[in-house]
Amino acid sequence: MKKQHKFRLFVQLVLLVTLFSAGVSNVKAQNTRTAIINGSDYTDTTGKTINAHGGGFLKVGKYYYWIGENRHDNVLVSCYRSTDLINWEFRGDLLTRDSNPELANANIERPKVVYNEKTKQFVMWMHYEIQTDYSYARAAVATSDNIEKPFKYLKSFRPFGNMSRDCTLFKDEDGTAYFLSAARENYDMMVYKLTDDYLDAKEHLLTLWPGGHREAPALMKRGKYYFMITSGCTGWAPNQAKYAYSKSIKGPWSELTDIGNATTFDSQSTFILPIEGKEGTSYLYVGDRWDGRQYFNSKYIFLPLNFQNEISMTLDFKEKVTPDLNLGKIY
Ligand code: GAL
């Protein structure tokens, strides 16, 4: 072998080794994030962008699950899991266009899942529209006995005949579950109590802020009070979030109070995740930073909610957020 040729081979080998180890350390870095970086491209443990928009969270055993909208190819709802709320592992697609003929040309938004102890089923409620038509305004329901496995799509409908768009699901400490959704062209926010199996709306409990145009509801309970965050109605464009509190889901609910800044830090609420640890419980606001022109470019915002007293809370922006699941704190 000529000397020059040998040298070239040697240089190629060095280059290959360098590229390979850079790749390995890159994967390693993705596997070991130490904080959530708000507004960044949030990737899963394999380096792929997380697709879980308008999502909800649920703790099952030692895992937190993040379930949300994925509009790639024929996927509608995807599932990720984490043990630290920072590094997320993709676990599978829960609903696709093939799950049911009704889903073939559907748009599924804001899926939320709770577990029913009596039926041993995970129950998903979501907002159902047809891809080319935003006037279906229905709720839809699906179930599974395994949170990581495909759900069985059951039906879409309008609870008590009411339009049903932006929505959330909330399971109370006593096992009663509630579905909240924007009705009457998003003028009213409805609160429904679910049947014991969580598959139907049993009672229309109340109509909140009639004519108030609130959407993107997220509900939590802290001490004696329930808190609800909602956004205004400006499509994909962010606006001022507001919150209300009440001693009972049935109300009376307080007036709406501004929270965060005028654009809620360029986000729209989707969920409030309680983090229970040795030193108490903290509450993580989760919002979508939508990109209306390029949906897939939409990002996520995670921020700690700060409480001044039993009925007052605030939201400040932080670029880096680190939940401490052991202590129940958010840094
Ligand atoms: C938002 C809503 C989103 C999506 C969007 C469509 O107001 O919160 O979930 O429906 O409108 O324009």
Side-chain angles (χ1 to χ4, degrees), residues 11 59 76 109 113 129-130 155 160 163 180 216 218 243 252 269 273 280 288 291 297 306 322:
V11 171
K59 193 164 183 224
L76 295 170
E109 296 189 342
V113 177
E129 298 285 356
I130 296 293
K155 60 185 171 183
F160 296 95
M163 291 175 92
L180 283 76
Y243 76 91
S269 42
L273 178 62
D288 293 286
D291 183 333
N297 199 28
N306 308 305
T322 311

Side-chain angles (χ1 to χ4, degrees), residues 8 30 50 89 98 107 112-113 129 139 147 192 198 206 234 327:
R8 210 182 303 144
Q30 281 153 359
I50 296 175
E89 184 190 352
D98 306 322
N107 241 2
K112 302 285 178 292
V113 177
E129 298 285 356
I147 188 152
Y192 304 102
Y198 302 168
L206 68 160
T234 50
L327 298 183

Side-chain angles (χ1 to χ4, degrees), residues 231 238-239 263-269 285 287-290 301:
S231 77
N239 56 55
T263 63
T264 319
F265 312 111
D266 193 2
S267 77
Q268 186 183 29
S269 42
Y285 162 92
D288 293 286
R289 182 170 281 182
W290 298 116
I301 299 296

Side-chain angles (χ1 to χ4, degrees), residues 109-110 134 166 215 235-236 268:
E109 296 189 342
R110 300 181 174 272
Y134 199 68
D166 276 15
E215 61 176 14
W236 297 117
Q268 186 183 29

Side-chain angles (χ1 to χ4, degrees), residues 57-207:
F57 296 76
L58 179 66
K59 193 164 183 224
V60 182
K62 64 174 181 171
Y63 293 108
Y64 279 92
Y65 284 87
W66 180 4
I67 290 166
E69 297 168 26
N70 182 350
R71 300 190 184 192
H72 284 92
D73 303 321
N74 74 334
V75 184
L76 295 170
V77 179
S78 292
C79 169
Y80 297 80
R81 78 177 183 193
S82 173
T83 49
D84 59 11
L85 292 178
I86 299 171
N87 297 284
W88 293 93
E89 184 190 352
F90 174 73
R91 298 304 292 170
D93 299 321
L94 304 187
L95 282 180
T96 68
R97 302 202 172 281
D98 306 322
S99 304
N100 186 282
E102 246 199 38
L103 293 178
N105 62 348
N107 241 2
I108 291 302
E109 296 189 342
R110 300 181 174 272
K112 302 285 178 292
V113 177
V114 290
Y115 181 65
N116 187 303
E117 264 90 16
K118 288 186 192 141
T119 61
K120 311 257 177 280
Q121 294 283 302
F122 291 94
V123 184
M124 182 190 300
W125 281 64
M126 63 207 105
H127 171 196
Y128 176 98
E129 298 285 356
I130 296 293
Q131 270 173 311
T132 50
D133 186 349
Y134 199 68
S135 66
Y136 267 64
R138 294 184 187 189
V141 184
T143 58
S144 175
D145 51 21
N146 184 331
I147 188 152
E148 299 188 1
K149 295 280 183 275
F151 274 52
K152 186 178 171 209
Y153 178 83
L154 301 181
K155 60 185 171 183
S156 72
F157 66 107
R158 288 185 168 186
F160 296 95
N162 297 320
M163 291 175 92
S164 187
R165 289 211 177 105
D166 276 15
C167 58
T168 198
L169 202 52
F170 181 79
K171 183 174 158 186
D172 212 344
E173 289 147 353
D174 65 359
T176 310
Y178 300 87
F179 179 67
L180 283 76
S181 69
R184 198 165 64 92
E185 299 292 3
N186 305 339
Y187 275 103
D188 305 338
M189 180 59 66
M190 304 303 208
V191 183
Y192 304 102
K193 184 177 173 177
L194 300 190
T195 50
D196 288 352
D197 58 10
Y198 302 168
L199 303 184
D200 269 301
K202 183 180 179 182
E203 198 185 334
H204 174 198
L205 284 184
L206 68 160
T207 301

